[in-house]
Amino acid sequence: MSIKGRAYIAGAYEHPTRKAPDSSLAQLHAEVALGALADAGLTMRDVDGYFCAGDAPGMGPMSMVDYLNLKVRHVDATDTGGTSYLIHVSHAAQAIAAGKCDVALVTLAGRPRSEGQATGTAVRPLNPNQPDTAFESPFGPALANMYGMVARRHMHEFGTTSEQLAWIKVAASHHAQYNPHAMLKDVVTVEDVLNSPMIADPLHRLDCCVISDGGGAVIVVRPEIARSLKRPLVKLIGAGESVKGQLGGDVDLTYTGAARSGAAAFEEAGVKPGDIQYASIYDSFTITVLIQLEDLGFCAKGEGGRFVADGNLISGVGKLPFNTDGGGLCNNHPANRGGMTKIIEAVRQLRGEAHPKVQVPGCRLALAQGTGGSLGTRHANATLIMERE
């Protein structure tokens, strides 16, 4: 079912905390829900659809609907890691178009920083029910290792350099300096990135995202409701989702599922990559950004290094402003599902509510892109294209 013009994002809210040792997970979900509803000019009584992923406590939507005292007629608990919340927005739009709900609440929250999770460097525990366990887990893979393999392969195939990857962090830091809530506010140079400790060759510490507590929420509504509210109109016009695995051993680390999710979203929206004025790109590592930019069609395969170099992602300077809140590389990355914050900053840009120093003038078309899982093994991708009406 096409979502083009069938639903609008009426509310968006990002939690200001980056460390919440005294807050429960359910409390953080509730706080972002209230924030997004207030932003939209709605209340809990208006919500009749609820969406969350594996970061929600207890039994997901069952627990949270009860905790929030919602009366809903539609729920969704799709969990695809960092992609989850872009897929939830798409699914919410589909549910609204099908008449299943009118006002959908989508919440994310996490406490990995307070819980001391070594998200990227710790070996993940064995899961005997996972079909790949017997073949991969004995080697002790960690996320940083697997993304390091992707970066090294891209360098081998296309001549990409560490200096080019570093420009992605530099761009994120230029934006984060204007975000009072960002974990890393200092502007860095290419040399700073290259001189930071090596984590998983060729990825340095500053090639990796931060780990934070926090969360965010969005409200997706029917067009009639959106037009009745006193908020700028942000229309959903395209969405795509995909999963890429090991393909029966036919492994190619030089592309991601964004090649399919992006193509589907652009086709539905009826626009081209060159039409996009702002892009929120999932940035667990610098290589994550570079390879998705290629797969989305912003540049040719193998040209990503040259595309991001020399500040081309910096607002007011480059060809494609990206992650103007500082992104996962500098701002926050709660619950290993940072796709939510990508949606929120895209909404800010379309509303003209981003920081004045990074606001894209006259921003009318924006893209949000998420990835969940590991580019080195199996992952999901989702793309949303939004338009200011």
Side-chain angles (χ1 to χ4, degrees):
M1 176 184 294
S2 174
I3 69 165
K4 187 173 183 178
R6 309 292 291 275
Y8 289 66
I9 297 180
Y13 178 79
E14 180 185 349
H15 206 295
T17 191
R18 299 296 177 262
K19 190 171 185 180
D22 300 321
S23 299
S24 71
L25 194 56
Q27 181 182 346
L28 291 175
H29 273 276
E31 289 171 357
V32 297
L34 289 169
L37 286 165
D39 180 63
L42 297 168
T43 70
M44 290 286 189
R45 292 187 297 275
D46 297 307
V47 176
D48 61 351
Y50 179 69
F51 296 71
C52 66
D55 55 279
M59 298 186 73
M62 287 172 56
S63 298
M64 285 308 304
V65 164
D66 189 32
Y67 185 85
L68 297 172
N69 194 27
L70 298 174
K71 293 178 175 61
V72 299
R73 54 195 181 102
H74 187 79
V75 296
D76 190 327
T78 300
D79 190 6
T80 53
T83 317
S84 302
Y85 287 95
L86 290 100
I87 289 179
H88 278 311
V89 168
S90 173
H91 288 188
Q94 292 175 46
I96 288 169
K100 300 295 184 182
C101 61
D102 296 323
V103 177
L105 167 64
V106 189
T107 67
L108 155 79
R111 301 178 65 254
R113 187 178 179 194
S114 290
E115 294 169 3
Q117 295 178 20
T119 306
T121 55
V123 176
R124 297 195 167 187
L126 295 175
N127 179 353
N129 296 316
Q130 202 165 308
D132 51 272
T133 291
F135 303 97
E136 296 174 7
S137 294
F139 298 96
L143 273 179
N145 301 138
M146 292 186 279
Y147 279 78
M149 288 193 301
V150 173
R152 181 56 69 193
R153 188 65 196 179
H154 202 279
M155 290 175 170
H156 173 77
E157 290 283 349
F158 306 114
T160 308
T161 67
S162 292
E163 288 81 2
Q164 290 169 334
L165 288 178
W167 271 108
I168 298 170
K169 180 73 167 196
V170 171
S173 74
H174 273 269
H175 299 149
Q177 67 178 313
Y178 303 113
N179 183 348
H181 304 301
M183 287 184 66
L184 304 179
K185 298 184 183 69
D186 292 340
V187 175
V188 300
T189 65
V190 169
E191 290 72 25
D192 291 333
V193 179
L194 300 184
N195 290 332
S196 64
M198 187 70 74
I199 299 299
D201 187 26
L203 299 177
H204 300 80
R205 179 185 290 168
L206 293 183
D207 285 299
C208 308
C209 70
V210 299
I211 297 174
S212 75
D213 298 344
V218 294
I219 309 297
V220 186
V221 302
R222 284 193 297 112
E224 299 88 340
I225 294 174
R227 295 188 182 107
S228 73
L229 303 171
K230 297 177 181 179
R231 301 299 283 131
L233 294 172
V234 176
K235 179 167 58 176
L236 293 161
I237 62 170
E241 56 191 76
S242 67
V243 173
K244 181 194 173 193
Q246 298 289 62
L247 302 175
D250 185 18
V251 180
D252 183 347
L253 298 180
T254 65
Y255 79 96
T256 72
R260 283 182 289 163
S261 70
F266 281 116
E267 181 178 3
E268 182 174 35
V271 300
K272 304 181 296 297
D275 298 322
I276 300 297
Q277 296 163 285
Y278 167 78
S280 282
I281 307 292
Y282 198 94
D283 54 346
S284 49
F285 300 88
T286 52
I287 185 62
T288 318
V289 176
L290 184 144
I291 199 167
Q292 288 184 105
L293 288 171
E294 293 178 344
D295 293 336
L296 290 167
F298 290 113
C299 59
K301 178 56 64 179
E303 294 293 322
R306 284 174 282 278
F307 183 81
V308 303
D310 302 323
N312 276 324
L313 300 179
I314 300 175
S315 184
V317 175
K319 302 173 182 176
L320 183 69
F322 103 120
N323 295 11
T324 45
D325 60 343
L329 288 169
C330 295
N331 177 24
N332 67 341
H333 190 254
N336 306 330
R337 291 171 177 84
M340 172 63 82
T341 56
K342 302 298 171 276
I343 303 166
I344 293 170
E345 186 65 7
V347 170
R348 290 191 191 114
Q349 281 286 350
L350 291 169
R351 289 174 165 182
E353 296 174 352
H355 191 283
K357 292 287 188 179
V358 298
Q359 175 67 52
V360 176
C363 188
R364 187 182 65 84
L365 279 174
L367 174 145
Q369 173 66 29
T371 181
S374 165
L375 299 191
T377 51
R378 56 201 56 77
H379 61 271
N381 279 92
T383 309
L384 286 178
I385 299 176
M386 293 158 275
E387 181 180 37
R388 167 72 180 261
E389 185 175 284

